[in-house]
Amino acid sequence: MGYVVGIVVVVVGILASVALHEVGHMVPAKKFGVLVPDYAVGFGPALWKKKIGETTYALRAVLLGGYVKILGMYPPAREGARTLNRKGRPTLAEEARQASAEDLPEGQEARAFYNLSAPKKIVVMVSGPLMNLLICVVLSAITMIGIGAPRASTTLAAVSQTVASASGEVAGPAHEAGVRAGDVVESWNGTPIASWSEFHEAIAASPAGEPQQLGVKRGQEHLTFEVVPVEGQQGRVVGVTAGFEYVSASPADVVAADWQMFTSTASVVVRLPQAVWNVGRSLFTDDAREATSVVSVVGVGRMAGEVTGDPSSLGLRDTRQVVAVLLSLLASLNMALFVFNLIPLPPLDGGHIVGACYEWARGALARARGKADPGPADTARMVPLTWAVGGVLVAMSVILIAADIIKPVSLA
């Protein structure tokens, strides 16, 4: 049951991320006056829908993503543009133009997306990925500031009655001296102790077999015990175990962590074809799959299942740590969506952004030459590339999903 909880969390998280990504596109599009007739979470038959203003909002049966329908993505063909192929049939670009025109209600052509200025087109298209970046930052802040990172504290979780010394099992020095679980370490031989690492270093620097003064706080009392360290199997020990506490990070730490996440994700995206090739090779050969290899959403779901199914095997001590890891997974996923969608190829958002940038640059050049604005860029000409890239993305997804089922990556 615990395993399923992690998968459900990831599924809901992905749906929410995709839904908000589409909201990122929809809000500025509507703000700029573009017709947006449909917004949906999921595909297929509608389980629920409601029309508010010009837009119908729906929850659909197949919860594998979502979409927002923005009308007029492609402008009509320019005079003299090639619209037929050698067989006399409409080209892929022309078919896309015709489909785009058919969706526009009569008399509403001025509200088509292609009539927006290039800067507004960029805003509409970049706002989707930026929404994922915002989600990533918020989840990182909740994880690092709200939940915090666990670290060893000076509050003793346990005081052992016996310890393993170099000569065998002996009485625990701290327990024998009267130290108890719950005591807070304050000093060692009169030197203040502020952290567990300082305490550990102080014990290591003390000679075995010689009495040392351990100062602790117990309730409202400040007590001092004479403790004699013994030589353990891995250095000097007194037989105490640290508790742990959560420490909140600073906003600067969150920014630094998100920047590191961005650079590492961008690095993965740059070498994505090679990374998927390596995964595919491991799938069809006896080669072991690398623990750091790229994964699909199925892989992320399996990892989340491990986190909730058997957290102790991953060194997670409590529910707070489990929640932190799940939020970190979702933050990483949203960073991946942000970076991936900015790849400058259609059908990704980055492809539309490149088209708008080209239109902007072309218009600026025309104005600089004293010529008329050439108008919207004919982005429908990129439709063949859209199909090709889409095919590659589907193939890559199939490889990763198959690998995540047959040769999954484990967090353990």
Side-chain angles (χ1 to χ4, degrees):
M1 182 63 182
Y3 189 90
V4 175
V5 170
I7 295 175
V8 170
V9 168
V10 166
V11 170
V12 173
I14 291 173
L15 281 175
S17 299
V18 172
L20 290 172
H21 175 100
E22 300 303 338
V23 167
H25 291 310
M26 179 181 68
V27 170
K30 291 171 72 73
K31 182 70 174 178
F32 296 147
V34 178
L35 280 170
V36 182
D38 294 298
Y39 170 87
V41 175
F43 301 96
L47 302 176
W48 170 89
K49 63 180 180 179
K50 183 176 182 179
K51 188 170 185 178
I52 302 176
E54 298 176 328
T55 306
T56 298
Y57 299 87
L59 176 65
R60 300 188 177 275
V62 184
L63 298 176
L64 293 177
Y67 67 92
V68 60
K69 189 172 184 179
I70 298 175
L71 297 189
M73 293 298 293
Y74 300 118
R78 292 179 175 279
E79 186 177 348
R82 181 188 173 197
T83 58
L84 301 176
N85 59 26
R86 293 178 181 178
K87 295 182 179 180
R89 297 174 182 173
T91 61
L92 288 175
E94 181 58 21
E95 287 180 350
R97 296 186 193 104
Q98 291 176 3
S100 178
E102 288 172 2
D103 286 338
L104 279 169
E106 187 175 350
Q108 296 290 329
E109 292 79 8
R111 298 182 63 191
F113 175 79
Y114 64 76
N115 281 320
L116 291 180
S117 65
K120 288 183 178 179
K121 288 178 180 175
I122 293 172
V123 169
V124 171
M125 300 317 301
V126 81
S127 293
L130 284 178
M131 182 64 80
N132 293 118
L133 178 61
L134 177 61
I135 295 170
C136 173
V137 172
V138 169
L139 292 178
S140 295
I142 292 173
T143 302
M144 297 178 66
I145 299 176
I147 297 177
R151 74 173 183 188
S153 73
T154 53
T155 300
L156 302 179
V159 180
S160 304
Q161 295 186 28
T162 60
V163 296
S165 71
S167 59
E169 199 82 6
V170 298
H175 186 273
E176 197 171 48
V179 181
R180 296 294 179 261
D183 289 349
V184 180
V185 176
E186 292 188 310
S187 65
W188 182 261
N189 289 330
T191 301
I193 297 295
S195 66
W196 181 259
S197 60
E198 287 184 6
F199 183 43
H200 187 269
E201 290 169 3
I203 295 172
S206 301
E210 295 186 14
Q212 311 294 320
Q213 302 301 309
L214 171 60
V216 302
K217 182 179 181 181
R218 181 180 296 170
Q220 299 302 315
E221 294 184 275
H222 297 274
L223 308 173
T224 301
F225 297 96
E226 190 173 86
V227 178
V228 182
V230 299
E231 193 68 42
Q233 296 175 343
Q234 296 181 341
R236 297 172 187 87
V237 296
V238 295
V240 294
T241 302
F244 72 99
E245 60 188 353
Y246 286 91
V247 180
S248 294
S250 68
D253 292 330
V254 175
V255 172
D258 286 337
W259 174 252
Q260 183 178 9
M261 192 190 307
F262 167 75
T263 55
S264 60
T265 303
S267 175
V268 170
V269 169
V270 167
R271 56 182 179 83
L272 188 59
Q274 180 63 48
V276 174
W277 172 265
N278 291 338
V279 172
R281 186 175 59 187
S282 70
L283 183 60
F284 295 105
T285 66
D286 293 331
D287 293 350
R289 185 178 179 185
E290 295 180 5
T292 57
S293 64
V294 291
V295 297
S296 68
V297 292
V298 172
V300 176
R302 294 190 70 139
M303 291 178 183
E306 288 182 33
V307 171
T308 56
D310 189 10
S312 60
S313 67
L314 302 176
L316 304 178
R317 303 188 184 189
D318 58 12
T319 302
R320 192 168 174 175
Q321 280 187 277
V322 170
V323 172
V325 173
L326 290 176
L327 292 180
S328 295
L329 281 174
L330 291 175
S332 299
L333 184 64
N334 274 278
M335 179 62 80
L337 288 172
F338 167 68
V339 176
F340 183 75
N341 273 288
L342 290 181
I343 294 175
L345 291 171
L348 301 172
D349 296 329
H352 293 286
I353 293 170
V354 167
C357 288
Y358 166 74
E359 179 182 313
W360 196 356
R362 188 182 64 171
L365 183 61
R367 288 190 296 273
R369 293 179 174 179
K371 296 183 178 180
D373 190 328
D378 188 8
T379 51
R381 295 170 63 184
M382 293 195 294
V383 168
L385 178 60
T386 299
W387 280 97
V389 173
V392 171
L393 294 178
V394 169
M396 292 169 69
S397 298
V398 169
I399 291 172
L400 291 178
I401 290 172
D404 287 336
I405 294 172
I406 299 170
K407 281 190 175 181
V409 172
S410 175
L411 291 175

